[in-house]
Amino acid sequence: MYLRSPTANDVVRLLHIGEQRGFPGMLGSLNCIHWRWKNCPTTWAGQYAGRSGSPSIILEDVANYDLWIWLAYFGISSPAHYVIQGKAYDMGYYSADDIYPKWSTLVQTIRDPRSPQKRYFTMKHESCRKDVKRGFGVLQARFAIVA
């Protein structure tokens, strides 16, 4: 586990891994967890209260299969060149769940997959999503403040 942004060579490797897993252009998986802020100042509690009603801070990460965790930034990034069905792309994307907005840099799962193709996509997508969930497990085990 290490926290650093990917270099151009790293992006090439990540794209290769994504393609091998059936997702050309995927750089990793994005997820977030709400971390309860026990000692939140009373004056700030309202602006940090989530669904649970108690103050929390959102911890977000991007991870890949080998537990490489780095911060997600949707702006200027390293070029990510890949081809899907003959069409060239220059921006990688992240696997995400449906709590995120519908952005071109996020590929979300299919909520109710009915066709065999959609069920297959959902199965493969969820297997990639396990990477980021495993990454959170490692962060929580290693750093007590995140637990």
Side-chain angles (χ1 to χ4, degrees), residues 76-122:
I76 300 169
S77 63
S78 301
H81 304 289
Y82 59 98
V83 177
I84 299 177
Q85 295 181 347
K87 182 168 169 62
Y89 295 89
D90 292 323
M91 181 187 299
Y93 61 87
Y94 300 95
S95 166
D97 56 23
D98 59 0
I99 67 162
Y100 289 94
K102 304 226 178 290
W103 291 346
S104 62
T105 53
L106 301 176
V107 172
Q108 298 168 333
T109 194
I110 299 169
R111 240 178 223 245
D112 187 19
R114 295 183 184 239
S115 71
Q117 295 90 351
K118 289 182 179 181
R119 283 194 298 273
Y120 180 75
F121 171 86
T122 301

